[in-house]
Amino acid sequence: MTKAKDNLGGLTGSERVKAKAKKRGRPKKSETPDKSGLENLQQTAKTITDTVGGIVDGVQTVGNTVHSVTQAGKQVRRAFGGGSGLVSSDSKQAIGQAEDLAASYGLQLDDLSQTLGGSNYEIDDSIPEMDAKTANQLTLKIERQNNALDVANKRITQKRKQVKNHKAQWDLVGDLVDLDTTKINVGTKVVNHEIAGTKFQIQQSKLEETEELLEQQVIRTQGVISLTDGVRKEWDLRFDKQQRQLEKIQIEIEQVDNENIRQREKLESFLFEE
């Protein structure tokens, strides 16, 4: 049996066994997992993937159910009849639920009452018999499977680190996007500043134009003021002319009146002389 165990350790390539073999002066041996072990590992990975897919579908279903519950919240509250049964039950019920949960994952628990029962001098028939060769072969297979599982576990850990690094890279990308966004916002503020300056210059130009229009209006007003004296003199002269014309007409009327008086006087003198 000792020789079989030594050969077993050499075949699995275990570091612990290699260290012992080195101390004994034995050469190191290495073994890679056989194809059956890899196939089992691949089948396990596929089962895990299918399980995850089922969980995702279940989460989607639960999400839809929660949405329905949200829509009919009042009906759910009226139909509520109590909480978990574990509130008032004993520990055996919780243990039973744990066993059911384990069974749903395919775990079969040994019945210790059958295994430990009986006298110490009696053979437990529930334990199957196995020869040393078969035991060594199965133990070797388990060791190889464990090696494969160790590799898978380390690879999963490495993948998690890769995902973590990739996530950190994307966080850095997000920071760079935020930085560039900040720069764009600053540039936008600069553009708005230039727009404000240009609008100020436009208003300045309008002010200058208005001042020029004001100056032109002042010139027109001064011109009109300058013409006022001439217009005043012109109308004064027109008034004088009209007064003279009126005086002339008045003189002409007086002359006509005087002529009429003389003619009357002549007529009267003629009449009295007869």
Side-chain angles (χ1 to χ4, degrees), residues 81-226:
S84 174
L86 295 178
V87 173
S88 58
S89 63
D90 55 13
S91 61
K92 292 182 180 180
Q93 184 174 351
I95 295 173
Q97 290 187 10
E99 290 178 348
D100 294 339
L101 178 63
S104 66
Y105 284 94
L107 177 62
Q108 300 296 328
L109 298 177
D110 295 332
D111 188 358
L112 289 180
S113 63
Q114 297 293 331
T115 302
L116 299 180
S119 173
N120 292 332
Y121 299 100
E122 295 179 357
I123 297 176
D124 185 2
D125 293 333
S126 64
I127 301 176
E129 296 182 4
M130 188 179 299
D131 57 24
K133 181 179 180 181
T134 303
N136 289 335
Q137 290 176 348
L138 293 177
T139 303
L140 174 61
K141 186 174 183 179
I142 291 174
E143 290 291 336
R144 287 177 174 175
Q145 288 177 344
N146 288 337
N147 290 336
L149 292 176
D150 290 339
V151 172
N153 184 42
K154 290 181 179 179
R155 176 56 180 152
I156 291 172
T157 302
Q158 185 184 49
K159 287 180 179 180
R160 292 187 65 186
K161 289 182 178 180
Q162 289 175 332
V163 172
K164 184 177 180 180
N165 291 338
H166 194 65
K167 181 179 179 297
Q169 289 178 346
W170 276 106
D171 289 338
L172 177 59
V173 171
D175 292 338
L176 293 175
V177 172
D178 291 339
L179 174 62
D180 196 64
T181 301
T182 301
K183 290 182 179 180
I184 293 174
N185 291 334
V186 172
T188 302
K189 291 181 180 180
V190 172
V191 172
N192 291 333
H193 179 268
E194 292 297 321
I195 291 174
T198 303
K199 288 183 178 179
F200 177 76
Q201 293 177 359
I202 291 173
Q203 296 302 320
Q204 280 185 321
S205 179
K206 289 182 178 180
L207 175 60
E208 184 178 2
E209 178 183 359
T210 304
E211 288 181 347
E212 290 295 327
L213 293 175
L214 175 60
E215 184 176 356
Q216 292 175 10
Q217 184 61 42
V218 169
I219 293 172
R220 292 190 185 94
T221 302
Q222 290 177 348
V224 172
I225 292 174
S226 299

Side-chain angles (χ1 to χ4, degrees), residues 50-64:
D50 295 339
T51 302
V52 172
I55 292 173
V56 172
D57 295 337
V59 170
Q60 181 65 33
T61 303
V62 170
N64 296 333

Side-chain angles (χ1 to χ4, degrees), residues 206-261:
K206 289 182 178 180
L207 175 60
E208 184 178 2
E209 178 183 359
T210 304
E211 288 181 347
E212 290 295 327
L213 293 175
L214 175 60
E215 184 176 356
Q216 292 175 10
Q217 184 61 42
V218 169
I219 293 172
R220 292 190 185 94
T221 302
Q222 290 177 348
V224 172
I225 292 174
S226 299
L227 292 175
T228 301
D229 291 338
V231 172
R232 184 181 294 107
K233 291 179 180 180
E234 177 183 356
W235 282 101
D236 287 342
L237 293 174
R238 288 185 178 183
F239 180 75
D240 292 342
K241 179 180 179 181
Q242 186 179 25
Q243 291 296 323
R244 287 181 173 82
Q245 288 177 347
L246 291 176
E247 290 176 356
K248 179 180 178 181
I249 294 173
Q250 186 66 34
I251 294 171
E252 290 176 353
I253 292 173
E254 291 177 353
Q255 290 177 353
V256 172
D257 290 339
N258 294 329
E259 183 66 28
N260 290 334
I261 292 172

